[in-house]
Amino acid sequence: MVSAALQICIVYYIVSLLDPYILSWQCINRPIVVAPLAGLVLGDFTTGVIMGAALESIFMGISAIGGSIPADATTASVIAVAYTILTGSDVEAGLAIALPIGTVMASLAGMLTPIWASLAAYWEKLAAKCNPKQFLLQTMLANLATPLVNTVILFFAVAYGVEGLNAFLASLPAWIMTGLSASSSMMIAVGFAILTSMIWNNEVGCFFFLGYVLVAYMNMSTLPIAIIGIVIAITMFFNEKRIIDLKNSLTNNAVAAADDEEEFF
Amino acid sequence: MEKRQINKEERKVLNSMFWRSHLVFNTFNMAKMQANGFTCTMAPAIETVYGDDMEGKREAYIRHNNFFNTHAVPFSFIAGLCYAMEREHKENGSIDGQTIESIKAALMGPTAGMFDSLFFNCLRIIAAGIGIGFCSEGNFIGTIIFILIYGATQSIAKYFLTYWGYEFGTAFIDRVFSSGLMEALSKAASVLGLMMVGAMTASMVSVPVTLTLNIGETSLVVNDVIQSIFPGLLGVLLLFLLVKLIKKGMRPTQLVLGILVFGMLGAFVGLF
C-alpha cells in the first residue's frame, strides 16, 4: 500500500506542478487525464481510462469561474482511482467517494491560502530589485512547494485510509475553518486596494461606484459593464478632445494676433 | 491603421513573452492572484525597453507586480499590449504609469468573461464530450483528443494574441499620440479602469458576517440588515479602509496578516 501510495503521489505531484503552474491550461489536471495516468501507475490502465470518463462528467460542472484555480478535482480523481484499483472494489464505490474527497481536499488546501497570500509583499519587494532571473527562480521554487502539501495529504489518504482524514477535519474546532475562509475572501480586497490606490483620480473616482452598483444591484456581468464603460470613456474622450482643440486654437489665435500686432507696428 | 513591421528584436521579446505567458498561475495567491505570472511575462519586455534606466525599470516591475486576474489566454494579449505601452512610456513619455495601470485594470474583467465562455464553458465541454465518449469505452485516444482540443489550442491562441496585443497597442498608441490626445486618453482610461475595479470589487470581495443578534423574542440577522441598506457595504468599507492604510504607508504584508488575525478572531467570537 505504501509503495503504491508513493508512486501515485509522484504522478500527482508532477501533474499538479505541470498544470497550472507551468502550462496554465488547467487541462492536464482534469480527471479525464489524471485518472488514466493513475490507472497506468497502479497497473490497471483500462479501469483508469473508464473512470476518467466518469469522473470528468462528475466534475465537469464543478469548477470556479473567472480565472481562479478550480476545485480539487485532481486529488479526488486520483484517490477514487486508487481506491477502486487497490481495494478491488467496483467502479461505482470509487466514484461515490470522489466528490466528498474533492470537498475535503479543497478545504484543506484552503487552509494554506493565507500563507501564500502573505508572501505577496515579499514578491513585490523582489520584483522591485529588477532581477528577473532571481524572480523567476524563487517563484518557481515556491511553486514546487504549493502542490507538495496536497501530495503529502494524498499520501496519507491513500496509504492509511480516507476515514482518518475526515476524522482529523471533524476534530478541528469549526471556527478555524470559518475564520480561514472568511479571511481569504477578505484578502482579495488587499489586491484591489493596491490597484485602486494606483489608478485613483479624484475627478473621476465616482465611476468606481457606478461599476459597483451595476454588479451589486443589477447583477450584470463584466462584459456589459465594460461596454457601458467604453461608451462613457469614448464620450469623455471626445469631450476632452474638444477642450484640448479649443485650448490649442485659442493659443494659436492669441499667437497669431500677437504676430499681427507686431507686423502692424 | 497602418500595420507596422515587427523587427527582429521585438520578435525575440514577443516570443520569449509568449513562452513565459504560460506561467499565469506562478505563485498564484489570494492577495494579488496572477501578479507574479504577469511580472515574469513582462520581464523580457521591461529588460529590453528600459535597458540601463534602473529607476524606470524598478517602477515598471512594481507596476506589473500589481493585482492581476484574467483568463490564461487573453493574459498574453494584455501582456503584448503592455509591452507596446511600456515602450511608448519610455521612448516618448506620453503614456504615464497610471494610464497603463488603468488599461490593465479595465481589460482584465471583460477578457476573463469572454474567454471563460469561449474556452472554459464551450471548448472544454466540447473536448470533454468527445473525450468522455472514447474513454468510457476504455479508449485512451479520448484523453489525447481532450488535451489537443482544450489544451494545445490555448497555446496556439496565446501565441497569436501576444503578437496581436503588441501590434494593436502600437497602432493605437501611434494614432492617439500623433493627434496629441494622450491626456484625454488617460482620463478616459481611468474612468473605465475605476468602473471595472468597482464591478470586480462588488463581485469578488465579501465580508461574510453571519452574526445574529437575539433581542428578546426576535432575532436580527446583521448581514441582512446591512445588505438591505447597501449590498456589500462592508466590502466597500473594507476596500477604502485598506486604500487609506496603503496611502498612509502600510505594507501589504501587514494588511494581509491583519486580515488573517481579524478573520480568526471574528470567527472565534462568532462574527463570521
Side-chain angles (χ1 to χ4, degrees):
Chain A
M1 213 55 147
V2 173
S3 76
L6 261 182
Q7 283 174 327
I8 213 147
C9 283
I10 293 171
V11 171
Y12 172 79
Y13 184 70
I14 293 172
V15 164
S16 31
L17 195 65
L18 202 60
D19 200 356
Y21 294 107
I22 294 175
L23 283 175
S24 79
W25 289 349
Q26 302 188 23
C27 163
I28 307 289
N29 57 0
R30 297 298 305 175
I32 197 170
V33 185
V34 176
L37 290 178
L40 186 68
V41 170
L42 295 174
D44 191 347
F45 188 51
T46 318
T47 306
V49 174
I50 293 171
M51 284 191 78
L55 286 161
E56 184 63 42
S57 358
I58 295 176
F59 280 101
M60 198 149 70
I62 309 168
S63 284
I65 308 240
S68 57
I69 294 176
D72 209 341
T74 321
T75 334
S77 314
V78 171
I79 295 186
V81 172
Y83 180 83
T84 311
I85 294 176
L86 293 177
T87 62
S89 53
D90 52 352
V91 173
E92 282 69 30
L95 292 178
I97 63 164
L99 211 56
I101 291 169
T103 330
V104 169
M105 293 300 283
S107 55
L108 278 173
M111 293 176 77
L112 290 165
T113 43
I115 298 175
W116 307 129
S118 64
L119 281 176
Y122 172 74
W123 299 129
E124 184 177 324
K125 219 181 281 173
L126 189 64
K129 282 188 182 143
C130 306
N131 189 342
K133 280 206 185 99
Q134 191 66 20
F135 189 85
L136 189 64
L137 185 73
Q138 292 199 21
T139 47
M140 287 317 274
L141 284 176
N143 285 337
L144 289 180
T146 323
L148 205 58
V149 184
N150 266 7
T151 311
V152 171
I153 301 169
L154 180 71
F155 175 77
F156 285 106
V158 175
Y160 304 106
V162 185
E163 295 81 10
L165 201 65
N166 264 327
F168 167 72
L169 269 188
S171 71
L172 284 179
W175 63 268
I176 292 190
M177 294 310 287
T178 21
L180 286 169
S181 76
S183 24
S184 58
S185 68
M186 288 189 285
M187 266 172 202
I188 303 180
V190 177
F192 280 129
I194 298 170
L195 198 61
T196 311
S197 66
M198 298 283 288
I199 63 177
W200 186 264
N201 175 341
N202 279 340
E203 224 175 299
V204 293
C206 52
F207 282 97
F208 174 92
F209 295 97
L210 179 59
Y212 188 88
V213 162
L214 288 178
V215 170
Y217 283 93
M218 326 264 291
N219 285 322
M220 282 168 99
S221 63
T222 42
L223 192 60
I225 297 175
I227 294 171
I228 295 174
I230 289 168
V231 170
I232 296 172
I234 289 176
T235 318
M236 193 157 244
F237 177 80
F238 284 110
N239 264 336
E240 290 286 313
K241 179 179 184 284
R242 209 173 304 150
I243 295 171
I244 293 170
D245 286 348
L246 204 64
K247 222 190 309 183
N248 289 343
S249 69
L250 278 179
T251 31
N252 287 344
N253 282 348
V255 171
D259 285 348
D260 283 350
E261 276 179 31
E262 267 170 34
E263 269 171 33
F264 186 75
F265 286 112
Chain B
M1 280 179 225
E2 200 185 326
K3 208 166 162 186
R4 206 171 129 275
Q5 278 298 311
I6 291 182
N7 65 34
K8 212 169 174 189
E9 194 197 18
E10 288 167 325
R11 189 168 289 277
K12 208 178 123 209
V13 171
L14 286 169
N15 281 341
S16 160
M17 283 174 75
F18 157 67
W19 289 113
R20 280 159 175 263
S21 72
H22 285 86
L23 301 172
V24 174
F25 296 102
N26 182 3
T27 46
F28 183 90
N29 59 66
M30 287 311 268
K32 288 187 168 183
M33 296 205 165
Q34 302 163 350
N36 288 344
F38 206 82
T39 311
C40 286
T41 310
M42 284 304 289
I46 294 174
E47 289 297 316
T48 334
V49 167
Y50 288 96
D52 294 331
D53 176 9
M54 284 318 275
E55 189 48 40
K57 205 187 254 186
R58 209 179 76 86
E59 276 171 17
Y61 272 117
I62 295 175
R63 184 155 54 237
H64 295 297
N65 195 249
N66 256 335
F67 178 92
F68 192 76
N69 191 35
T70 184
H71 186 272
V73 173
F75 182 93
S76 307
F77 176 81
I78 299 177
L81 189 67
C82 283
Y83 174 26
M85 291 194 289
E86 286 295 344
R87 209 182 50 125
E88 179 67 22
H89 178 61
K90 167 71 181 160
E91 286 175 2
N92 301 314
S94 60
I95 291 189
D96 53 2
Q98 200 186 10
T99 308
I100 298 179
E101 201 67 66
S102 306
I103 290 175
K104 254 173 88 180
L107 282 175
M108 55 183 147
T111 50
M114 242 189 285
F115 281 81
D116 265 339
S117 348
L118 198 64
F119 277 91
F120 195 79
N121 296 334
C122 176
L123 208 56
R124 185 178 64 103
I125 308 298
I126 295 170
I130 300 171
I132 288 170
F134 280 105
C135 283
S136 56
E137 289 159 11
N139 194 344
F140 184 61
I141 198 97
T143 304
I144 294 170
I145 290 177
F146 179 76
I147 296 175
L148 287 180
I149 298 182
Y150 182 54
T153 47
Q154 294 193 31
S155 285
I156 298 168
K158 268 166 171 298
Y159 179 79
F160 288 108
L161 283 171
T162 315
Y163 275 84
W164 196 43
Y166 184 66
E167 281 165 8
F168 176 77
T170 322
F172 184 70
I173 290 165
D174 279 352
R175 198 167 135 177
V176 174
F177 184 60
S178 61
S179 51
L181 291 170
M182 223 20 131
E183 204 182 318
L185 175 77
S186 77
K187 200 165 187 182
S190 58
V191 167
L192 193 54
L194 279 165
M195 225 173 114
M196 294 320 294
V197 172
M200 286 187 286
T201 305
S203 58
M204 291 166 85
V205 177
S206 72
V207 183
V209 175
T210 56
L211 187 67
T212 311
L213 291 175
N214 290 308
I215 309 157
E217 295 274 293
T218 55
S219 61
L220 188 68
V221 183
V222 175
N223 198 39
D224 288 353
V225 178
I226 297 169
Q227 290 294 79
S228 66
I229 300 170
F230 185 78
L233 177 66
L234 292 176
V236 182
L237 290 179
L238 175 70
L239 180 84
F240 281 100
L241 175 72
L242 291 173
V243 170
K244 191 150 196 170
L245 291 175
I246 289 167
K247 289 225 162 118
K248 277 203 175 135
M250 284 273 271
R251 312 203 65 82
T253 332
Q254 295 170 311
L255 298 177
V256 167
L257 291 178
I259 285 177
L260 182 61
V261 171
F262 176 67
M264 296 308 272
L265 282 179
F268 187 67
V269 301
L271 185 62
F272 296 120

